[in-house]
Amino acid sequence: MKKLIVLLFLGSLCIRAVHSQHNRVEIDDKKMEWFHEAKLGIFIHWGIYAVHGVSESWSFFNNYMSHEDYMKQLDGFTAKNYNPAYWADLIAQSGAKYVVLTSRHHDGVALWDSKMGGCNVVQNTPAKKDLIAPLADAVRKKGIKFGLYYSLPDWSYNDYNVYTRDIRRYDIQKDTVRWNKFLKYMKGQLHELSVNYNPDLFWFDGDWEHNAKEWTSADIRKQLLAYNPATIINSRLNEYGDYATPEQGVPIARPASKYWELCMTINDSWGYQPHDNQYKSANQILRIFVDCITAGGNLLLDIGPKEDGTIDSRQVEVLTVLGQWIKTHQEAVYGIQAGLPDGYFYGKTALSMDKKTLYLYLDNIPAGEVSVKGLESNIKNVRLLRNNKTLAYKTKGNNTYIHVDKNDYDPNVSVIAIDFEQALQLY
């Protein structure tokens, strides 16, 4: 039974991974260049749910608490220690090239002063200020791309038809006037986000509650691109996006979409939950990161700030270690392409764009020498990226054996670079 559950779970991840493989739009490869090369992004779930450390929006949707009690958190959201310059420094030190901030989650609480109605932190919380603009400015000064998460549903908005898991306010097919009121509100907010912040990326969520026709997904895409043709859109706009977004688990097989990104939490929660101590170690995060980049994808790693704007030290530690590893191994992070076919090396691999360097990623310390098969091209040099140390190697038949001193291995993931005299050819 346990095996069946695991297989079903992995299968669901695969389904999520190929969510956008049948895109209804033509993808602009030119605008996707920075995204493809970014490799790491930081997801930020910040909202009133951090006040009591409850699940963002889902806690009332699933009836774990009343909507009234959930919204009482508005009174405790202060953002008094919010330091966007520090956030930008931390994100830059992590090695991330883009950031995605939750502008409005399913609970309907916007982080900017929306003029479209609804609820926002400027008008309805002690924070009393726009929380998006300062971060957008701070990260862009660091050369980091800025993205905004936006929930298509608003479970608090009176003209949206869904309220909780058990309650639907009305049938949109029968009350088109009311549904169109909601669409006007939603598209008005998207217009505000485009005009006020001109995000490099829109990260949609919640599309499962309606189909593309009901959401008018094609019109939303047209609206966003009319303002900025370079805007990138994720797949959760009912297949009107530019890239796939698997969630919480590395896909078993590489997604069919040319561009993709795994979004994942550091612990088990998206927003700040003080009682969630199920933190992944920096080692686990790094191994997942390598899984993503060697399969042609990005990792969008989530952090959840506290209501006052401070960030849990355990999250800071993971980002710090990740950044240190990327800085040391950036040659094997950026400007890489798919590596060896299956059967040549027991582990993850990648090639430089000119195919003159092969990278071997080792997430443990082998019992003996490192072995790779079928390298026909002449080897010029073998290096350990951690310390740029030249490594001894020998070739026997179809196998190449590389010696690494045990003291030289990286405590997380080691990378061996094999330089060739010409582009790699395999037996």
Side-chain angles (χ1 to χ4, degrees), residues 312-383:
D312 190 292
S313 61
R314 292 168 293 184
Q315 299 183 14
V316 173
E317 180 182 0
V318 169
L319 297 190
T320 301
V321 173
L322 188 55
Q324 291 169 343
W325 187 91
I326 290 175
K327 184 177 181 180
T328 301
H329 299 88
Q330 57 185 312
E331 176 186 337
V333 173
Y334 309 112
I336 58 173
Q337 59 180 307
L340 300 176
D342 291 341
Y344 284 80
F345 176 70
Y346 187 72
K348 304 295 181 181
T349 66
L351 280 166
S352 59
M353 297 308 294
D354 63 5
K355 297 186 178 181
K356 289 186 176 181
T357 302
L358 171 66
Y359 301 103
L360 310 178
Y361 304 79
L362 300 101
D363 55 17
N364 57 28
I365 298 178
E369 293 176 309
V370 177
S371 173
V372 58
K373 300 177 182 178
L375 306 180
E376 186 174 4
S377 300
N378 293 327
I379 296 175
K380 183 169 63 175
N381 187 41
V382 180
R383 302 171 284 129

Side-chain angles (χ1 to χ4, degrees), residues 4-300:
L4 177 61
I5 292 172
V6 170
L7 287 173
L8 288 172
F9 171 71
L10 293 175
S12 70
L13 294 178
C14 283
I15 292 170
R16 207 53 193 262
V18 299
H19 184 66
S20 68
Q21 74 178 76
H22 300 298
N23 280 49
R24 306 180 193 184
V25 298
E26 184 176 342
I27 307 302
D28 181 354
D29 289 327
K30 184 66 177 176
K31 80 171 185 180
M32 297 301 295
E33 285 180 358
W34 74 259
F35 178 84
H36 183 61
E37 183 60 19
K39 307 306 180 185
L40 178 66
I42 301 300
F43 212 173
I44 305 176
H45 275 69
W46 194 29
I48 66 168
Y49 36 87
V51 173
H52 294 319
V54 298
S55 179
E56 62 293 332
S57 308
W58 294 99
S59 49
F60 74 80
F61 182 84
N62 290 324
N63 298 310
Y64 295 135
M65 64 190 306
S66 69
H67 180 262
E68 181 183 4
D69 285 341
Y70 180 92
M71 297 304 285
K72 286 179 180 178
Q73 293 178 105
L74 287 165
D75 296 333
F77 189 77
T78 65
K80 62 183 179 181
N81 294 315
Y82 177 38
N83 186 343
Y86 168 72
W87 284 23
D89 284 340
L90 180 63
I91 292 164
Q93 290 169 14
S94 76
K97 300 299 184 182
Y98 64 110
V99 61
V100 178
L101 173 68
T102 49
S103 67
R104 176 176 69 68
H105 207 269
H106 314 318
D107 60 11
V109 182
L111 295 190
W112 79 101
D113 189 12
S114 176
K115 308 305 182 184
M116 296 305 300
C119 188
N120 68 73
V121 298
V122 182
Q123 299 294 328
N124 305 107
T125 76
K128 297 296 181 187
K129 56 187 174 184
D130 180 342
L131 301 178
I132 298 177
L135 183 62
D137 292 342
V139 298
R140 282 171 168 155
K141 287 178 182 177
K142 298 283 185 181
I144 296 169
K145 298 289 187 179
F146 183 70
L148 287 174
Y149 167 109
Y150 184 83
S151 167
L152 293 166
D154 182 337
W155 293 332
S156 297
Y157 195 74
N158 193 49
D159 285 318
Y160 186 62
N161 72 313
V162 177
Y163 181 51
T164 68
R165 181 178 295 276
D166 303 321
I167 300 174
R168 299 293 183 270
R169 290 191 175 104
Y170 63 96
D171 184 340
I172 68 171
Q173 305 301 329
K174 296 179 180 179
D175 195 343
T176 56
V177 172
R178 194 170 178 185
W179 180 243
N180 285 330
K181 284 183 180 179
F182 172 75
L183 291 179
K184 182 179 180 180
Y185 155 77
M186 178 185 67
K187 291 178 181 178
Q189 285 200 326
L190 289 173
H191 176 73
E192 289 177 335
L193 293 176
S194 290
V195 172
N196 294 343
Y197 316 108
N198 192 22
D200 301 288
L201 183 152
F202 270 100
W203 210 102
F204 286 103
D205 200 11
D207 63 338
W208 61 82
E209 291 197 332
H210 295 285
N211 60 41
K213 183 179 179 180
E214 292 167 343
W215 285 126
T216 66
S217 298
D219 289 344
I220 292 173
R221 180 180 177 88
K222 184 178 179 180
Q223 172 187 322
L224 299 179
L225 296 185
Y227 186 82
N228 181 358
T231 300
I232 293 174
I233 300 170
N234 77 332
S235 62
R236 299 184 189 184
L237 191 62
N238 299 95
E239 301 167 18
Y240 280 88
D242 299 304
Y243 68 94
T245 54
E247 181 174 320
Q248 289 289 52
V250 180
I252 298 171
R254 178 174 177 166
S257 177
K258 183 176 181 179
Y259 306 104
W260 67 276
E261 153 204 270
L262 168 66
C263 61
M264 187 184 70
T265 55
I266 287 183
N267 51 5
D268 288 339
S269 308
W270 295 102
Y272 176 68
Q273 294 191 31
H275 302 298
D276 180 1
N277 296 310
Q278 300 300 313
Y279 274 79
K280 302 174 185 70
S281 67
N283 177 273
Q284 289 174 300
I285 298 292
L286 275 168
R287 291 168 69 174
I288 291 169
F289 177 62
V290 168
D291 285 345
C292 291
I293 65 173
T294 55
N298 295 349
L299 174 63
L300 182 63

